[in-house]
């Protein structure tokens, strides 16, 4: 059974274009998991420059990037002020140049880190009797 929605990590620092394209061709809606990278990228120079040019926060730029790509964007926060901030992504638009700059933030190292983490988690969560027998390890990382 084909899913209607798939939640995967999507943000400019892990923008897996081939994976995303596959699901879009299959008409599967993509929901962004870790849209804001758990706050770990807010000081990135590209993100800060774009945010300053729009009078927005880096978090709002990450959210707007998701929205403009057509991903479901549901950020997580327990702080009311951040919830309000995270919702304010519909009153501006990123330029094509800015979108391209953000699209290009994914590095080969980030993809390799993702692959290693995937294998670690799959091994931890799905291995039977400590073996990898029957566990899918061949994945599209980009």
């Amino acid at each position: 059974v084909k899913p209607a929605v798939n939640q995967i990590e999507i943000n400019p620092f892990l923008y897996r274009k081939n994976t995303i394209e596959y699901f879009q061709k299959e008409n599967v809606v993509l929901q962004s998991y870790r849209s804001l990278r758990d706050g770990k990228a807010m000081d990135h120079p590209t993100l800060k420059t774009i945010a300053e040019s729009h009078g927005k926060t880096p978090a709002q730029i990450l959210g707007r990037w998701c929205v403009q790509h057509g991903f479901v964007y549901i950020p997580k926060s327990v702080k009311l002020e951040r919830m309000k901030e995270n919702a304010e992504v519909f009153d501006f638009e990123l330029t094509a140049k800015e979108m391209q700059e953000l699209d290009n933030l994914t590095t080969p190292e980030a993809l390799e880190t993702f692959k290693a983490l995937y294998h670690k988690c799959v091994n931890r969560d799905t291995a039977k009797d400590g073996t990898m027998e029957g566990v899918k390890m061949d994945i599209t990382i980009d």
Side-chain angles (χ1 to χ4, degrees), residues 55-122:
K56 294 292 183 176
T57 66
Q60 290 168 321
I61 299 305
L62 291 172
R64 183 64 203 182
W65 178 87
C66 286
V67 168
Q68 278 185 230
H69 271 298
F71 307 132
V72 176
Y73 165 68
I74 305 174
K76 176 188 170 215
S77 183
V78 295
K79 298 183 178 180
L80 183 59
E81 63 275 6
R82 286 196 181 148
M83 289 180 199
K84 290 177 182 178
E85 173 189 322
N86 292 339
E88 294 173 356
V89 298
F90 300 102
D91 61 344
F92 72 103
E93 192 168 312
L94 299 170
T95 67
K97 180 179 181 273
E98 292 167 334
M99 288 294 287
Q100 188 65 47
E101 287 178 53
L102 293 167
D103 288 354
N104 291 332
L105 292 178
T106 299
T107 64
E109 295 81 20
L111 294 173
E112 285 303 317
T113 299
F114 167 76
K115 182 179 180 181
L117 183 60
Y118 174 86
H119 286 159
K120 176 185 172 187
C121 292
V122 165

Side-chain angles (χ1 to χ4, degrees), residues 23-39:
F23 285 113
Q24 289 173 332
K25 283 182 182 174
E26 294 293 318
N27 294 313
V28 175
V29 173
L30 290 172
Q31 179 179 337
S32 174
Y33 167 74
R34 289 190 74 223
S35 305
L36 305 181
R37 292 202 67 229
D38 297 334

Side-chain angles (χ1 to χ4, degrees), residues 11-13 34-48 58-59 62 102 105:
N11 58 61
F13 301 92
R34 289 190 74 223
S35 305
L36 305 181
R37 292 202 67 229
D38 297 334
K40 294 177 183 170
M42 301 307 166
D43 288 328
H44 191 280
T46 300
L47 199 53
K48 287 175 73 172
L62 291 172
L102 293 167
L105 292 178

